[in-house]
Amino acid sequence: MRIKVAVHGYGTIGKRVADAVKHQEDMKVIGVTKTKPDYEARLAIERGYELYAATPEKIEVFKNAGISVKGTIEDLIQEADIVVDCSPKKVGAENKAKYYEKAGIKAIFQGGEKKDVAEVSFNALANYEQAIERDYVRVVSCNTTGLVRLLYIINQNFGVNKVRATLIRRVVDPKDDKKGLVNNIMPDPITIPSHHGPDVQTVLDVDITTVAFKVPTTRMHVHSLNIELKQQAKPEDIIEALREEPRIMLVSYEDGFTSIAKIMEYAREIRTRSDLFENVIWKESIAIIDNELYLTQAIPQEAIVIPENIDAIRAMFNIASKEESMRLTNETLGIGKLYS
Ligand code: NAD
């Protein structure tokens, strides 16, 4: 029997979650919601998803636009086993109180929500087991997912004393046209630590301090990391450990990956919507100086959290072990077939 998944908020994350669920044999999308009858609503229908109004009062708006919806979020969750909430930051917590608790339905929230929205903050590699049979799970944000994946592997293999990370953040996603940053670099936040370090600590017990800046690009985030190791290691040892994990993509500057522009150009050739689900790490950036690991990674913000949403569903219904779930997700999304 397939798990019936509702996607609440068919936006940047929602449409990618829906498509990823579609690729799985043990779950299916039974409906997605939209607030507006715009081109994305029409796209959802064209892709074969049943469309529902995100809020009850919007039914009329869809009717007037000539788009037929099957009902509202309240109707959708009656039919579903789980809802993946992909609504904007902070709206997920409101939806929990308004709909999910009342309906007694399991829910996954995204990284824009505070950690207390859920019982567990989740990353498949680091704490899959903690999400087993839970009702509410939060998949941490794109930056946090990128940091946790990497630090989990380094900690498992070499031990980590402390981490210092500088995050160069894309200002908005490519589709956003309401705000941006022109010819500018903005410390965001100006205070230290940025919220990313404490967010990593909701999943992984590690000493980490983060500093963050926004820059005028929509393509990817870039992280510059210094990691003080417990055990001695050489750059080759680090590369070998990272190569073992399919959700890490090791690229080489020598090979032409001279910037995030080249990484995204490659992604456009090989993936639908140029979705990269992996941390992208430059091999040449890996250096060890006085037993401190230096490394630069690029984080594809729109897609990196998608495999984690799929694994969270399996964990919450306890239908697969961590290894089995990650293997299935990787296989169906084509993860691990790229550079290493
Ligand atoms: P988005 O704005 O692209 O999509 C949000 C969708 O929710 C839109 O379709 C919007 O119409 C809909 N919506 C608006 N109000 C709603 C409501 N009351 N109920 C249900 N749906 C509603 O946003 P996004 O980028 O997909 O972000 C969604 C969540 O994912 C946020 O928590 C965000 O922090 C997190 N996240 C975003 C990214 C990213 O880079 N975009 C990465 C990781 C995590």
Side-chain angles (χ1 to χ4, degrees), residues 15-265:
K15 60 185 162 188
R16 288 171 171 82
V17 167
D19 288 357
V21 169
K22 217 180 189 179
H23 281 96
Q24 313 305 314
E25 284 189 353
D26 49 2
M27 54 188 88
K28 63 177 176 187
V29 180
I30 61 151
V32 304
T33 72
K34 278 292 302 169
T35 43
K36 283 187 243 123
D38 60 6
Y39 72 96
E40 280 187 321
R42 293 182 199 277
L43 251 173
I45 294 171
E46 275 168 33
R47 294 236 161 97
Y49 298 121
E50 299 280 11
L51 189 67
Y52 290 74
T55 53
E57 65 277 9
K58 291 287 163 97
I59 285 258
E60 211 47 38
V61 187
F62 280 91
K63 232 187 232 164
N64 294 341
I67 295 184
S68 104
V69 289
K70 277 205 79 182
T72 71
I73 178 65
E74 283 168 317
D75 302 313
L76 177 57
I77 55 181
Q78 290 307 317
E79 306 296 320
D81 298 318
I82 186 166
V83 54
V84 184
D85 188 297
C86 303
S87 64
K89 200 163 144 172
K90 297 186 183 152
V91 178
E94 291 168 21
N95 288 337
K96 181 184 176 190
K98 247 198 239 169
Y99 306 116
Y100 313 151
E101 283 175 331
K102 272 191 213 147
I105 188 169
K106 286 181 187 275
I108 294 177
F109 300 93
Q110 306 303 318
E113 303 305 316
K114 294 215 169 98
K115 67 172 184 197
D116 55 12
V117 74
E119 300 156 278
V120 180
S121 289
F122 180 81
N123 173 268
L125 202 53
N127 70 344
Y128 183 93
E129 287 81 7
Q130 285 179 30
I132 288 177
E133 290 188 356
R134 298 286 190 171
D135 289 331
Y136 300 118
V137 168
R138 178 181 76 121
V139 170
V140 290
S141 75
C142 46
N143 277 307
T144 306
T145 298
L147 288 168
V148 169
R149 264 190 205 158
L150 171 71
L151 296 176
Y152 175 81
I153 298 166
I154 301 297
N155 196 32
Q156 288 291 101
N157 286 276
F158 310 101
V160 167
N161 275 335
K162 69 175 183 190
V163 183
R164 302 296 175 251
T166 303
L167 279 54
I168 303 159
R169 303 164 64 194
R170 65 90 180 95
V171 60
V172 289
D173 287 334
K175 75 166 187 190
D176 292 326
D177 54 10
K178 286 199 184 130
K179 51 183 184 172
L181 196 66
V182 179
N183 192 20
N184 205 348
I185 297 177
M186 181 193 274
D188 184 29
I190 186 67
T191 50
I192 295 166
S194 71
H195 65 274
H196 306 91
D199 203 34
V200 166
Q201 290 164 333
T202 66
V203 186
L204 206 59
D205 182 16
V206 68
D207 175 350
I208 177 168
T209 305
T210 49
V211 180
F213 299 87
K214 268 186 187 165
V215 297
T217 180
T218 61
R219 293 170 189 258
M220 301 179 97
H221 304 294
V222 169
H223 298 168
S224 168
L225 286 117
N226 306 343
I227 307 170
E228 208 180 280
L229 302 176
K230 283 196 173 132
Q231 291 168 29
Q232 300 248 326
K234 295 196 283 295
E236 308 85 87
D237 304 327
I238 306 289
I239 290 177
E240 208 179 302
L242 294 175
R243 202 172 257 150
E244 290 292 304
E245 174 46 53
R247 293 187 189 178
I248 301 281
M249 179 175 156
L250 286 161
V251 297
S252 168
Y253 198 89
E254 272 253 293
D255 218 10
F257 290 104
T258 47
S259 71
I260 58 169
K262 294 296 197 303
I263 295 170
M264 288 317 290
E265 180 63 8

